[in-house]
């Protein structure tokens, strides 16, 4: 499903060079729920961004579903990202000027999909995360937990086979965090492959496998 071979990434400014990832070799099988742990700045988010085709490695090979990724700027890659991957972020990244329904529908607008099908998918996604009664609320009218549920609905409305979650419970209290984790676990049981960055050891232990990074390298 996901295969990285000798992936390296360095960020450069005029005066500073930061090695974010150093020769990462990693394989995630279809249907796995994998957590990624490590101290801040160790390369966890960079790893997700490369898997999700949001960033390009300096060297190495990335395969998604057996497809070797060769160009990060072309339309084919953008289409693969839209259809294959769903993203969940710590800060939700909901558009405050849009209500929940429109936020969740947004990824589908980039597809040639009839309005009726878009509506069906949005409603089904919101029902799945328990937000049917909030679909016309705005992010400012909801709690952090509700915003994260909306973000999960947006991630799954395109029916992706891979979900990349970057600290999805980081801004939530423990009770709500475990509720969000329950939603992710249910999605995984239904067949979705999930790679989740977290600092919470207890949540990581609920996943199939823990990957640990330190200074851009795999250490366990």
């Amino acid at each position: 499903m996901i295969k990285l071979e000798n992936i390296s990434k360095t960020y450069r400014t005029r005066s500073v060079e930061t090695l974010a990832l150093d020769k990462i070799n990693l394989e995630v099988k279809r249907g796995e729920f994998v957590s990624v742990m490590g101290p801040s700045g160790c390369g966890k988010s960079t790893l997700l961004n490369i898997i999700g085709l949001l960033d390009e490695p300096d060297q190495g090979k990335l395969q998604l579903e057996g497809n070797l990724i060769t160009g990060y700027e072309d339309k084919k890659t953008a289409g693969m990202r839209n259809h294959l991957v769903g993203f969940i972020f710590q800060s939700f990244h909901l558009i405050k000027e849009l209500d929940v329904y429109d936020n969740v529908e947004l990824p589908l607008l980039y597809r040639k999909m009839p309005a009726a099908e878009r509506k069906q998918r949005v409603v089904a996604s919101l029902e799945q995360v328990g937000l049917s009664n909030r679909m016309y609320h705005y992010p400012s009218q909801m709690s952090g937990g509700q915003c994260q549920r909306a973000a999960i609905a947006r991630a799954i409305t395109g029916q992706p086979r891979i979900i990349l979650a970057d600290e999805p419970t980081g801004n939530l209290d423990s009770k709500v965090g475990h509720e969000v984790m329950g939603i992710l676990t249910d999605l995984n049981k239904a067949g979705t492959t999930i790679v989740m960055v977290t600092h919470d050891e207890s949540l990581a232990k609920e996943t199939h496998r823990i990957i640990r990074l330190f200074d851009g390298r795999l250490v366990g």
Side-chain angles (χ1 to χ4, degrees), residues 115-179:
E117 184 179 352
R118 292 201 308 269
K119 181 177 181 180
Q120 182 180 19
R121 288 200 184 192
V122 172
V123 171
S125 297
L126 289 170
E127 287 178 351
Q128 193 168 351
V129 300
L131 276 185
S132 298
N133 61 337
R134 295 277 184 170
M135 67 174 65
Y136 299 117
H137 285 64
Y138 288 83
S140 62
Q141 297 172 314
M142 302 195 303
S143 67
Q146 290 167 336
C147 285
Q148 192 59 292
R149 286 172 180 265
I152 293 173
R154 180 184 57 194
I156 66 176
T157 191
Q159 299 176 353
R161 294 184 287 280
I162 300 170
I163 286 181
L164 303 177
D166 195 352
E167 291 283 0
T169 64
N171 285 335
L172 309 175
D173 63 46
S174 59
K175 180 179 181 297
V176 178
H178 278 88
E179 291 174 358

Side-chain angles (χ1 to χ4, degrees), residues 89-135:
F89 303 97
Q90 178 178 354
S91 299
F92 320 134
H93 288 281
L94 298 174
I95 298 174
K96 63 181 181 180
E97 293 84 6
L98 300 180
D99 62 23
V100 168
Y101 182 99
D102 288 340
N103 266 286
V104 174
E105 184 187 32
L106 195 58
L108 303 180
L109 297 177
Y110 295 95
R111 304 184 185 184
K112 295 180 179 179
M113 182 181 295
E117 184 179 352
R118 292 201 308 269
K119 181 177 181 180
Q120 182 180 19
R121 288 200 184 192
V122 172
V123 171
S125 297
L126 289 170
E127 287 178 351
Q128 193 168 351
V129 300
L131 276 185
S132 298
N133 61 337
R134 295 277 184 170
M135 67 174 65

Side-chain angles (χ1 to χ4, degrees), residues 5-9 22-23 50 56-61:
E5 298 181 66
N6 292 315
I7 292 287
S8 294
K9 178 68 177 181
D22 186 12
K23 298 179 181 178
I50 287 175
E56 185 173 1
D58 296 324
Q59 64 182 49
K61 297 179 181 180

Side-chain angles (χ1 to χ4, degrees), residues 48-56 72 81 87 89 164:
L48 284 197
N49 288 341
I50 287 175
I51 294 173
L53 308 179
L54 294 176
D55 204 351
E56 185 173 1
Y72 277 66
R81 180 169 56 241
F87 297 91
F89 303 97
L164 303 177

